[in-house]
Amino acid sequence: MFNRILIANRGEIALRVIRACRELNIETVVVYSKADAGAAYLELADEAICIGPGPSAKSYLSIPSIISAAEIANVDAVHPGYGFLSENAHFAEICRANNIEFIGPDVETIRRVGDKAEARSAAVAAGIPVVEGSKGPVGTDQEALEVAHRVGYPVLIKAVSGGGGRGMRVAHNDMALINNLATARSEAEASFGDASVYIEKYLEAPRHVEIQILGDRRGDVIHLGERDCSVQRRHQKLIEESPSPAIPPDIRKKMGIAAVKLARQVGYHGAGTVEFLYEGKRFYFIEVNARIQVEHPVTELVTGIDLIKEQLRVAAGEPLGRKQGQIPFRGHAIECRINAEDPERGFAPSPGVVTHWQPPGGPGVRVDSHLAPGYRVPPNYDSMVAKVLVHADTRAEATSRMRRALDEMRVGGIQTNLGLHRRILRNAYFERGEYTTRFLDELLSA
Ligand code: ADP
């Protein structure tokens, strides 16, 4: 096992990794930007190193700054968290070239699944259904039109290197397709440094259901069940739950098998997620996330397995130690992502000083957050400030528990989306588990 690791991330996920390391007696070195200086969670690491100013490009995305911090701190490995450099194959390569283990899959695997068109091809090769669309990136407008005519409108233009729900555009006819292609390409180039795009049939009202996978370096791969992440605002997840209220047992089983097959096909080790859309009793592969995800605690609650500890163990070369049949699935878990956003201003980020912080507690409640009174939410990063999770025997009990937890919670000084969560948890469709990825946008435009 590692003796000392560097955490190349911030906020709640940095704290989550610190906590797992403490329990495993691994020393932690956390990096921070000037915008995060003084944050309480930094005190919980063994060492904290400032790597630059607030803008991510000069700190959390700066490979030279992070590598020199890792060398100064003399660590065995780097945990990249999610976002920032977590799926950057170049960063993984440089870490390993400097004899620092990168906690994640092989460089080749990160590259392969990070190219979404290539991941689609790997899924096809493994016999897994994908959403109908282009074979790879689309070159010319003519090629795009041919794909659209073959699969039928509406279609979705997606960036090959996209992520975070960004870089996607829907087109309903030829003219929109041609116009959107140009915009999508330039947006993709600006956001991801790669202008290539591909095309998928746009499913009108699917559910987003993903499978958590875990693999070791000896080639063993298992899955830890699914998470339903269909409550999304503009393709960004807001609420996740497990088990999915919509998936029948035979589909759940097939999805799990498909995810493991794909992971084996690309030689996956570490923790990862295989994402699917589910519509009309069929599921379709959309992408692989080669990292730990925001919503991982949902799976931790139903399986009792600490995914961060598992990541550390397999990265250090230990075997999985569990067979597929030995994974317990118990009860129901729900997660609400609390964002510093102003509901009065179209959910625009609402940075500022947290004057009051009262997280919920009591039976079956878990809060993953780096907030504390006096903490200043910087304007530079993602607006998520807390994850509220509940676990109970049934979905009805979990829903009721989440309502209670959200009602207990108080955050002062910044605006948050707490009110929206309280509203969703009392919505009749949500209560019945009847929602698709369209649910929230429809609720908000009603
Ligand atoms: P990202 O990596 O940016 O998160 P994904 O491919 O995971 O992109 O898609 C994010 C979300 O976008 C999905 O959960 C779903 O809501 C929507 N989406 C993606 N592909 C399709 C599709 N073909 N049809 C309808 N919705 C889609």
Side-chain angles (χ1 to χ4, degrees), residues 409-430:
M409 188 167 182
R410 299 279 181 278
V411 187
I414 53 167
Q415 300 299 319
T416 71
N417 61 357
L418 250 177
L420 175 60
H421 280 294
R422 289 181 185 135
R423 192 173 152 203
I424 299 169
L425 265 289
R426 284 178 173 81
N427 178 281
Y429 289 97
F430 181 83

Side-chain angles (χ1 to χ4, degrees), residues 116 131 156 158 162-168 198 200-204 206 208 229 232 235-237 275-277 286-287 289 291 437:
K116 294 172 128 197
V131 186
L156 186 61
K158 296 172 98 169
R166 288 171 303 129
M168 289 186 285
Y198 64 109
E200 269 179 9
K201 168 96 185 157
Y202 183 65
L203 303 184
E204 301 274 6
H208 174 117
C229 313
Q232 306 182 345
H235 302 309
Q236 291 191 27
K237 299 164 189 167
E275 298 189 331
F276 298 95
L277 295 179
I286 49 170
E287 68 164 338
N289 289 135
R291 53 172 162 81
T437 57

